[in-house]
Amino acid sequence: MSVPENLSYTKEHEWLSVADGVATVGITAFAAESLGDIVFVQLPAAGTQVTAGEVFGEVESTKSVSELYSPVSGEVTEVNETTADSPEIVNSDPYTEGWLVKVRLTGEVPQLLDAAAYTEFTQES
Amino acid sequence: MSKETSLHGVHQDLGALFTDFAGWSMPVRYASELAEHKAVREAVGLFDLSHMAEIHVCGAQAADVLDYALVGKLSGVKPGRARYTMICDAEGGVLDDLVVYRLADEEYLVVANAGNADVVAEALSERVQGFDAVVDNRAATTALIAVQGPKAVDVLAAVTDADLGALKYYASVPATVKGHEVLLARTGYTGEDGFELFVAAEEAPALWRLLAEAGEPYGLVPCGLACRDTLRLEAGMPLYGNELSRALNPFAAGLGRVVKFEKPGDFVGRAALAELAKADVPRVRVGLRGAGRRAPRHGYRLLSEETDIGTVTSGALSPTLGYPIAMAYVDRAYAEAGTRLSVDIRGKIEPVEVVDLPFYSRAGEPGHRPAATLDGAAAPRRKDPK
């Protein structure tokens, strides 16, 4: 299971990268694989305020629904519209084309897992 | 610790993702459940159903005991044919839905759902008392492999000399598949043509491998429980634990025709079922079609205006149709096709419409209805394959 070194991770299986005060958020390959084929992604509209640790959307596979927890607080500046028509992109390319939202940070980035810690976490769970 | 089928090692080799199902560790999918679903609709899929229970009922009064123990008229099934039926308790509650194969005049094979295997075996063992017959539970030593899809007949033709053209839907025949003795049945629960092969558990891995190899030119893929569920849902077929339960009776499920009151003698549940047949069941099973892509799921509330009028029992975004489908129990007044209802999808109210079942029937089957199909041999649903 791929876990890129340059990203940060949550125990809710989201990944995060930060550049110029804007965080890009997605779900990990581990999460996508566990869910199965993703058939629907529900994301907040641009302009929505999100709060670290709170639900900001959902991903549905054929058999299950999973809530998305925001790793950070801030304002959604952009959503990945491709996921509306092609939700399978989250399975096929979770770390690049399958990103979910971009959030302009309003606070500190919480302590997150690095790739090694996240890999260890998924092996335990 | 979950039980493992004799094919567990094969599934591991194929990289299956496993799930616990009714106490069994079963493959939920191998790669993509949508691709597996599509393969069954368009080509052919291979399933391990060894978690299901095979219970043989043999003896001079085998037919009589099954007429007494089950709601169907099993004495009316010809040797070599099969019938969809149910086993009920004295109150008419459904203990399980079953496919029963008559193998000979005095031998039947009852196939029970994995989760109900013990309940069915115990009930049959009790109900056989006083009859000249024996109940022989061979679940532990029997494996079951299904080959389902429009190309299933081509796959089987490549590995057996059995006369597949003569093997009708809901029929079975002892056959040899490249040296393996099997019971070859033309049954399944996917809405497609297909076969189910009962085989000694220790021979299942070899049989699986040779079927997989024979199927390769036809696009065969191994299939897990995830796609099995979406396939049976599209075909409008009930699943025990979702559409059927001990708290429900065959009439509520829209499957009242499986209860054969005309058969002679008493049967378990007869009096209660006769009363239930006369009464208006409060809620009935319907199909629902949703808009958008968000699927109603098991347990979600159905509303008319703001009144609760039912509950979803199974739902998914249909891989074949591309829109959300569901089965549900609704108050009778709202059960007619075309009725517009709402479903509470995790706090968001979405529109749904009551539609006829099944959602999907395979090409060349206009007007096919599952109740007729499920009733078995009396209602052939397809032309015999060439």
Side-chain angles (χ1 to χ4, degrees), chain B residues 113-134:
Chain B
N113 284 299
N116 297 324
D118 293 342
V119 169
V120 174
E122 283 166 25
L124 289 176
S125 296
E126 285 169 18
R127 295 175 191 186
V128 77
Q129 302 298 322
F131 288 89
D132 181 10
V134 292

Side-chain angles (χ1 to χ4, degrees), chain B residues 23 30 39 49 80 149 243 261 268 357:
Chain B
Y30 297 83
L49 307 180
E243 284 74 37
F261 290 116
V268 179
L357 293 170

Side-chain angles (χ1 to χ4, degrees), chain A residues 64-106:
Chain A
S64 63
V65 181
S66 286
E67 292 181 318
L68 296 165
Y69 294 88
S70 182
V72 292
S73 297
E75 181 184 324
V76 176
T77 58
E78 202 179 336
V79 298
N80 185 357
E81 300 292 351
T82 308
T83 62
D85 294 329
S86 306
E88 66 276 8
I89 199 165
V90 181
N91 289 107
S92 60
D93 200 359
Y95 297 115
T96 48
E97 296 298 315
W99 64 276
L100 298 177
V101 293
K102 293 183 191 290
V103 178
R104 181 168 299 285
L105 301 174
T106 53

Side-chain angles (χ1 to χ4, degrees), chain B:
Chain B
M1 184 73 183
S2 297
K3 290 183 277 190
E4 294 176 357
T5 75
S6 58
L7 290 163
H8 194 81
V10 175
H11 303 318
Q12 282 180 315
D13 291 346
L14 289 166
L17 188 78
F18 291 91
T19 187
D20 185 82
F21 182 83
W24 291 83
S25 175
M26 298 299 293
V28 65
R29 63 174 179 274
Y30 297 83
S32 155
E33 68 265 26
L34 293 178
E36 291 167 22
H37 183 111
K38 190 175 157 72
V40 175
R41 288 279 179 257
E42 297 177 1
V44 57
L46 189 61
F47 296 81
D48 177 13
L49 307 180
S50 301
H51 58 318
M52 299 189 79
E54 296 81 10
I55 303 165
H56 290 249
V57 179
C58 312
Q61 287 190 296
D64 300 318
V65 69
L66 289 178
D67 278 354
Y68 168 71
L70 312 180
V71 300
K73 189 181 176 187
L74 287 306
S75 59
V77 179
K78 291 180 179 156
R81 302 308 303 266
R83 185 71 51 92
Y84 176 83
T85 186
M86 294 182 189
I87 182 166
C88 288
D89 62 19
E91 288 75 45
V94 181
L95 294 181
D96 200 11
D97 62 335
L98 309 163
V99 174
V100 178
Y101 301 83
R102 189 169 198 174
L103 305 182
D105 280 339
E106 298 186 359
E107 183 177 8
Y108 289 81
L109 165 59
V110 177
V111 180
N113 284 299
N116 297 324
D118 293 342
V119 169
V120 174
E122 283 166 25
L124 289 176
S125 296
E126 285 169 18
R127 295 175 191 186
V128 77
Q129 302 298 322
F131 288 89
D132 181 10
V134 292
V135 172
D136 180 12
N137 185 352
R138 299 186 199 165
T141 54
T142 306
L144 177 56
I145 296 172
V147 186
Q148 299 280 299
K151 301 288 186 190
V153 67
D154 298 307
V155 177
L156 265 296
V159 293
T160 182
D161 293 332
D163 185 354
L164 301 175
L167 188 60
K168 294 188 171 77
Y169 191 61
Y170 265 73
S172 72
V173 65
T176 304
V177 176
K178 296 251 181 187
H180 298 280
E181 300 293 327
V182 305
L183 178 70
L184 179 63
R186 198 159 207 156
T187 46
Y189 223 57
T190 60
E192 297 299 335
D193 186 19
F195 300 86
E196 294 182 304
L197 290 80
F198 298 88
V199 65
E202 65 270 17
E203 294 183 47
L207 180 62
W208 175 284
R209 289 191 185 98
L210 76 86
L211 288 167
E213 192 181 339
E216 211 172 318
Y218 300 101
L220 178 143
V221 298
C223 296
L225 292 182
C227 83
R228 182 170 167 79
D229 194 45
T230 47
L231 289 160
R232 71 92 198 162
L233 174 62
E234 286 183 344
M237 294 171 169
L239 176 67
Y240 198 91
N242 289 42
E243 284 74 37
L244 295 171
S245 76
R246 201 164 183 157
L248 289 165
N249 62 72
F251 302 101
L255 297 166
R257 65 171 62 197
V258 306
V259 184
K260 301 299 184 191
F261 290 116
E262 69 275 17
K263 65 180 172 177
D266 194 18
F267 63 91
V268 179
R270 181 192 271 273
L273 287 164
E275 288 302 311
L276 289 164
K278 281 187 279 182
D280 279 344
V281 288
R283 285 186 170 180
V284 292
R285 183 169 65 104
V286 298
L288 299 171
R289 175 181 176 161
R293 297 183 71 82
R294 307 180 85 214
R297 291 172 188 267
H298 180 78
Y300 290 7
R301 292 184 310 146
L302 283 163
L303 307 160
S304 177
E305 305 296 331
E306 289 178 2
T307 307
D308 273 29
I309 54 93
T311 308
V312 176
T313 49
S314 298
L317 179 67
S318 165
T320 305
L321 304 169
Y323 51 77
I325 58 171
M327 285 194 271
Y329 278 88
V330 300
D331 292 350
R332 291 185 77 88
Y334 302 93
E336 198 168 320
T339 305
R340 290 175 186 277
L341 301 171
S342 301
V343 58
D344 182 345
I345 298 185
R346 301 182 298 284
K348 288 180 185 157
I349 304 302
E350 302 265 2
V352 288
E353 183 179 336
V354 177
V355 295
D356 288 329
L357 293 170
F359 304 101
Y360 165 89
S361 32
R362 60 187 130 119
E365 287 190 289
H368 155 61
R369 290 289 174 269
T373 304
L374 294 175
D375 206 24
R381 55 183 289 198
R382 57 185 308 287
K383 289 179 182 169
D384 289 332
K386 294 287 178 278

